[in-house]
Amino acid sequence: MPARNRLTPTFLDRIRRALRPGWTRSLLLRRVCAGVLLLIAVVAAASGGRDSDVSPVIVAAHDLTPGSRLTSSDVTTTQADPAVIPAGAITDPSALIDSTVTGPVRSGEMLTGSRVLSSRLPIELLGRPDARLVPVKLSDTAIVELLREGDVVDVLSINDSNGDQSVRAATVLVKNAVVALVSEPAQIRRTDGSRLALLAMPERDAHTVASATLASPITVVFH
């Protein structure tokens, strides 16, 4: 019988080698462990960064209707990515208490300065520092039903021609006024029960319209 070739490992030798890792196998194991730890550290750092890279913002706690006066139960604070926060977003809930909502707001919607009545609302609507708000009672109450916040209108006064009420002429008082708020049927009424429209316009035009409302009926033309 020929002598066994000692260079050829036996089955038992292979088992012993598998059960006794060499230095190369230990090095590979250390590298794998180091890679896993590095991956965990990266994920943890990224998660921590996302949690800290947010800003507080005020949102509606439930659906809000135009003309409603806000209380602390109407708003809540949440965290949002700065990239999705609109310009003019309000971050201080106390700044909204007793403010009047200018348009319908859905639950969870971020509240901005253009959503509530404030000294800056007409400026934000017109984009000019001399903007003012003027309350207007329209001669045709049916028109008030058609007005919506954000509508652009021309304001006209209706004058009797030579005292003859059957012949009337309209005078354009201001163009491109913006509707800031339309009072709800049960809210912000005048003493005669009429609903009002708050219109944003330049200061000089606002004075003209305010004076005209005392002398003649007012109507608007939609754009």
Side-chain angles (χ1 to χ4, degrees), residues 87-90 96 102 111-118 120-122 124:
I90 298 173
L96 289 169
T102 61
L111 291 171
T112 63
S114 62
R115 286 299 201 176
V116 295
L117 285 179
S118 69
R120 291 198 55 81
L121 176 60
E124 293 177 353

Side-chain angles (χ1 to χ4, degrees), residues 137-138 141 188-196:
K137 175 193 173 185
L138 301 182
T141 56
I188 319 180
R189 290 178 176 270
R190 291 168 59 107
T191 55
D192 60 1
S194 301
R195 294 174 62 189
L196 291 176

Side-chain angles (χ1 to χ4, degrees), residues 147 151-155 174-177 179 199 220-223:
L147 287 176
D151 285 345
V152 179
V153 298
D154 297 336
V155 184
V174 59
K175 294 183 178 181
N176 300 321
V179 179
L199 306 181
V220 296
V221 175
F222 291 81
H223 280 218

